[in-house]
């Protein structure tokens, strides 16, 4: 098997105490092979000499890692022979944190345009108020949409939300859905991620994220913002809460309620589509063109789709505005 040596960011670190002494389990982020390739996460394991090395290895810092690439449970893993901590500047560390290609200022402006375009005065008021909320303005452009599975990028929440809004805008007339509610639901569904996951290296969960979770945090923010909107109807606030609480679609996936309106079902499906397609795209393929997506336990054929060659023009104005620089 091939060997690998290079600088990497320590994304996660766990020390496991075993019968034969401690072992070190790491997720390391390496730079992509090509100049424009995104950083790649690799599971790395150190089985020997762990007690001596472990103290110097810290999450969010850089290391020089060396070892053999092996196949374990359908996944490429790095069996470390050596790992040394490196001193690095904040900028050097930042360059290893994967980030969205969506430019944050333009992306936030696009969300504001969607909110300005809502026709119901109460919902438009609310949409404009929440996009102008100081915390949302500060945190939404940087927040990742998830810790791993999909859009785990600085700016990933913004990219994921723009994908969802563009799809919602296109789908609303086809399925006779209430465009105002659908677009607001799509904007709000994951807004709690702003407070749930930190946007620094490793995208760790915050204390309030662990204690309360992104759905409750999103509901809380909506309630706060609704108080600032004169005479905001209680029924509409409940419908907005429902989008957030139902967006995982199933009780076993963490939603306390099932989607109860066609728009809430559409938010769940659109959210899922954006996430699932992203997760497939980030699978790294082996020489035979096949890669393994751990989350779904499915093999993915990379020989059949090259996103770089996709002509986005037929998708319409919404999609072009999400992705074009
Ligand atoms: Fe979610
Ligand atoms: Fe989402």
């Amino acid at each position: 098997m091939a060997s690998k040596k290079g600088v990497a960011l320590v994304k996660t670190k766990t020390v496991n105490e075993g019968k034969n002494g401690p072992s070190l389990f790491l997720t390391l982020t390496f730079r992509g092979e090509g100049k424009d390739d995104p950083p790649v996460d690799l599971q790395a394991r150190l089985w020997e000499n762990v007690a001596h090395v472990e103290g110097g290895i810290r999450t969010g810092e850089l290391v020089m890692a060396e070892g053999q690439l092996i196949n374990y449970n359908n996944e490429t893993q790095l069996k470390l022979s050596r790992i040394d901590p490196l001193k690095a500047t904040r900028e050097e560390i930042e360059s290893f944190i994967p980030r969205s290609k969506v430019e944050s200022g333009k992306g936030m402006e696009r969300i504001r345009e969607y909110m300005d375009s809502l026709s119901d005065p109460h919902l438009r008021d609310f949409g404009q108020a929440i996009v102008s909320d100081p915390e949302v303005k500060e945190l939404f452009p940087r927040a990742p949409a998830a810790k791993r599975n999909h859009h785990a990028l600085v700016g990933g929440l913004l990219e994921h939300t723009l994908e969802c809004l563009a799809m919602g805008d296109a789908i609303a007339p086809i399925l006779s859905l209430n465009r105002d509610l659908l677009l607001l639901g799509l904007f709000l569904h994951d807004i709690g991620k702003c407070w749930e996951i930190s946007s620094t290296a490793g995208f760790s969960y915050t204390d309030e994220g662990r204690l309360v979770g992104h759905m409750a945090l999103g509901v809380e923010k909506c309630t706060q913002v609704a108080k600032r909107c004169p005479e905001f109807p209680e029924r509409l606030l409940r419908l907005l809460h429902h989008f957030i609480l139902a967006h995982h679609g199933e009780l076993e996936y963490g939603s306390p309620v099932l989607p109860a309106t066609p728009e809430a079902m559409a938010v769940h499906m659109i959210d899922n589509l954006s996430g699932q397609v992203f997760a497939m795209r980030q699978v790294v393929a082996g020489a035979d063109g096949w890669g393994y997506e751990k989350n779904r336990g499915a093999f993915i054929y990379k020989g059949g789709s090259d996103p770089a060659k996709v002509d986005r023009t037929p998708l319409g104005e919404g999609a072009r505005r999400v992705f074009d620089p």
Side-chain angles (χ1 to χ4, degrees), residues 145 150 157 160 164 189-190 193 247 271:
H150 77 95
L157 177 61
H160 168 57
C164 291
H189 82 277
D190 266 342
K193 301 261 168 131
H247 84 269
D271 171 37

Side-chain angles (χ1 to χ4, degrees), residues 4-316:
K4 187 170 180 77
K5 180 180 179 181
V7 180
L9 172 81
V10 181
K11 191 173 174 186
T12 64
K13 169 190 164 182
T14 324
V15 180
N16 289 344
E17 294 298 337
K19 277 202 302 285
N20 306 321
S23 50
L24 185 59
F25 280 34
L26 302 167
T27 310
L28 297 179
T29 307
F30 287 88
R31 283 223 169 87
E33 301 278 311
K35 190 171 72 65
D36 293 326
D37 292 350
V40 178
D41 283 353
L42 203 54
Q43 298 303 314
R45 307 283 182 259
L46 181 70
W47 301 102
E48 280 154 24
N49 211 15
V50 172
H52 281 95
V53 177
E54 179 270 303
I57 308 298
R58 289 191 195 88
T59 314
E61 295 189 2
L62 299 189
V63 290
M64 175 61 83
E66 191 176 347
Q68 295 289 315
L69 291 169
I70 58 162
N71 192 296
Y72 179 76
N73 266 355
N74 295 318
E75 207 187 27
T76 303
Q77 227 180 57
L78 180 62
K79 188 174 175 223
L80 292 163
S81 52
R82 196 178 166 154
I83 182 162
D84 297 302
L86 292 177
K87 276 204 164 41
T89 63
R90 206 184 132 82
E91 289 73 44
E92 284 166 333
I93 293 172
E94 282 269 322
S95 74
F96 280 81
I97 305 177
R99 60 188 57 240
S100 165
K101 288 196 173 71
V102 173
E103 200 271 302
S104 59
K106 273 191 190 163
M108 290 304 285
E109 191 45 46
R110 186 70 190 117
I111 291 190
R112 173 173 285 283
E113 286 169 18
Y114 278 118
M115 295 303 110
D116 290 347
S117 78
L118 303 185
S119 54
D120 176 89
H122 285 301
L123 293 174
R124 187 172 58 241
D125 242 24
F126 180 94
Q128 290 169 334
I130 196 157
V131 85
S132 314
D133 178 86
E135 279 183 357
V136 171
K137 268 166 80 178
E138 185 198 328
L139 299 171
F140 200 93
R142 260 190 77 84
K147 195 171 155 57
R148 49 185 82 86
N149 306 331
H150 77 95
H151 299 84
L153 311 163
V154 170
L157 177 61
L158 179 58
E159 181 177 323
H160 168 57
T161 304
L162 286 169
E163 285 175 12
C164 291
L165 284 164
M167 285 193 272
D169 204 12
I171 281 172
I174 301 172
L175 296 181
S176 305
L177 296 167
N178 179 317
R179 179 181 180 275
D180 288 351
L181 284 170
L182 179 62
L183 294 194
L184 205 42
L186 288 166
F187 173 37
L188 298 175
H189 82 277
D190 266 342
I191 202 166
K193 301 261 168 131
C194 290
W195 302 274
E196 183 188 44
I197 308 175
S198 99
S199 60
T200 55
F203 300 146
S204 51
Y205 286 106
T206 61
D207 290 348
E208 65 250 71
R210 281 213 167 105
L211 289 168
V212 180
H214 73 282
M215 292 194 204
L217 290 165
V219 164
E220 209 174 288
K221 177 50 81 178
C222 286
T223 307
Q224 256 178 38
V225 169
K227 285 190 184 134
R228 282 183 239 144
C229 300
E231 292 170 49
F232 193 75
E234 177 71 19
R235 195 185 69 88
L236 282 185
L237 179 59
R238 288 300 181 210
L239 284 175
L240 299 185
H241 286 163
H242 179 68
F243 282 122
I244 298 174
L245 297 171
H247 84 269
H248 285 194
E250 303 285 345
L251 304 183
E252 52 268 50
Y253 294 149
S255 266
V257 288
L258 297 175
T261 64
E263 286 76 16
M265 181 56 87
V267 166
H268 160 58
M269 294 283 187
I270 291 170
D271 171 37
N272 203 15
L273 183 56
S274 161
Q276 299 287 0
V277 169
F278 189 100
M280 287 180 119
R281 291 243 161 89
Q282 70 180 354
V283 168
V284 181
D288 60 355
W290 289 86
Y292 189 69
E293 195 197 324
K294 211 171 152 192
N295 199 36
R296 284 191 312 132
F299 284 97
I300 309 298
Y301 185 48
K302 303 289 276 194
S305 153
D306 181 355
K309 292 194 183 126
V310 173
D311 176 10
R312 295 188 192 278
T313 317
L315 297 180

